[in-house]
Amino acid sequence: KLSSPEKNVSPGDTAPDQRFLRQCAFMAEIFEKLIKEISVGTRVISLSGLTSVAAKAYLLNKLRRETGKAFAVITESNREVENWISDLNFFEDENKEKASPVTDVSEIIGLPSFDADPYSGVSPHAETQERRALALWQLRLGTSDIVVLSARSLIQRTVTPDEIEALGSILTRDKDFAPETLIERLFAGGYVREEPLFGPGQLSVRGGIVDVWSPDADAPVRIEFFGDTVESIRTFDPETQLSTGQLTEIAIAPMREFSASAQDLADWSFFAREKFSHERFARNLKDRTDFADEGETFSGWEFMIPLSKPLGASVFDHLPECIFVMDEPAAIEHSLTGLYQHLADRYRAIGDSGEVGLEPDGLFLKPDELRDNLERSRSLELRALGRTAAGIDAEFQVNEGPAGETTTGSPSGIRSASDAPPLFLFPAVNKAVEMEFQSRSTRKFHGDIQAFVNEAGPAIRPQDGQSRTGIIVQTPGMAERLEEILREYNAPLAAESIRLGSLSSGFEFPAFDLSLFTESDIFGETIQPEFRPAKTKGPRTKVKLGAFISDFRDLKTGDYVVHIDHGIGRFDGLQTISSQGAEREFMLLVYTDNAKLFVPVERMDLVSRYSSGEATSPTLDRLGGIGWQKT
């Protein structure tokens, strides 16, 4: 283990500087060894000492540029996915600024998992479906060298690469592509008809002209056909309807990964009646087949459609040549252990209560399948404490008591991850090349500028004008403010010391003689990283939404409102409901056929007031119907 350079030494003492240079040289050798191990195809490499997502993202960015390999980062949850993407984008943006021409910049793809319980009867959020479909489409096109996904995405079954390709379309000017085929694919891939277009995922058809807005595009395109031949492809402004440019080719991504045509739903209805023929399922099944028989989707259909259209792939099929970067394997294993146990318990519970649902094995990889895939893949393990600590944890997990016993008093009778048998996905006993990179979090100064100047001042204003210390701020205004403050403290900055961007945390990386501070490190302000699913060439047109309700005094009984997931309903006042000895207050929304939806008052941010220029009352949506999805 390498110690940090000593501080508080006399000005004439150069020994600490020499020691620091030797440390940097030694760490440079380790980095070169790491590149070599990756290049020769070593199956498992374990890195320890990296203590923050920002430091890990910096190292991975360098590895991608040095090796030219593709990487898939596996995190514990969707939250870590967003942190990783934000930090990777920061370093990729810096690469883009320095590259001339830009030949060394990668698109960062995020593949979030569905956050909905597959046995709750609720569909995944539309935005999550869009992001997943776009990610799988981009992977099929090979447009990225880095993809970030959660542990749940790793085990989630999905469509094959060929199936996701068939849901999207690539059109070339002066080549044949039947407009009927394009329209059929767009509807199957989740697009809805709208005239005129105002957002991604919409299409419009007028004779031989098809307008469509792909989710990865900044603006819609207008495709003109002469028979089955693509005569022209033009981008246009959705507000003015005026053309803004000509294209020779366009790739149109799907809005969801699952196809659901009217025939698909009719087939599902047939197989569902056979599988769930017992009378205890009759009522719950009818709620779904009534929609499916009419060719309409129903709430939660994404977790039921594999009954008639089995899912034949996982992310391993979409990432055949990737090196899997396991961000804290112990946390990933713990998360998956709990998830497998939760799925098994929920499936048993719905069966006992007469609700329909598919076996977990039809929706997620079985543990044995996951282990087999991991053993066939190359992996880079990022462990803060190294494999020795992991080995001790594994031994403790095996010897701590009988596995699989139900913990008394656990909520809903669901066993926790610690009660379930270990999966042993990343056994520390397996052979691996082990290396250590030391990184540490930067000090938090909480607004003490003098302390910051005393510690970081000499590094950010070296005599040669070059600095390996940077301060990351989010806005130009903050950059100007910081420069003024530091001048007042007689600590003018070296060139390029202040950088614009968003980083989840500051860090010090002695191996590369690098220190990065964020504005939150200095001022104590909290930075929320922004998730960017894909880089865009310009600002996307914003869709104007109604104002969300901030006070119940904004509403009176009988007012029309819009729930972000369920559509137009009528506000019928507040109701207090007792549950498990506690009372909670709900907003009561009424839909078609007097269907009632109770929204907890703490989630009133999901509801906005209905507004329209028309004097007539709106038509209420149908709970679970396809009408609001189309709108």
Side-chain angles (χ1 to χ4, degrees), residues 118 120-124 288 297-305 624 629:
S120 65
V122 176
S123 290
R288 290 158 172 77
T297 58
F298 50 86
S299 184
W301 69 270
E302 295 86 352
F303 300 115
M304 298 296 296
I305 200 69
Q629 295 179 32

Side-chain angles (χ1 to χ4, degrees), residues 59-71:
L59 180 63
L60 185 61
N61 179 274
K62 289 181 68 68
L63 288 176
R64 183 199 64 77
R65 289 187 286 118
E66 293 289 339
T67 65
K69 301 293 184 181
F71 295 90

Side-chain angles (χ1 to χ4, degrees), residues 160 173 233 238 345 348 357 414 416 445 464 471 528 546 579 600 621:
T160 65
R173 193 173 62 195
I233 305 173
D345 289 343
R348 283 195 297 269
I414 296 175
S416 66
F445 295 95
D464 60 3
I471 305 173
Q528 294 295 337
S579 175
D621 280 304

Side-chain angles (χ1 to χ4, degrees), residues 155 157 336 340 361 364-374 422-425:
I155 67 170
R157 295 189 190 274
L336 290 178
Y340 276 124
D361 292 352
F364 300 90
L365 294 178
K366 294 183 288 187
D368 288 344
E369 291 178 294
L370 177 58
R371 269 192 296 270
D372 290 343
N373 278 294
L374 289 173
L423 297 175
F424 297 116
L425 300 176

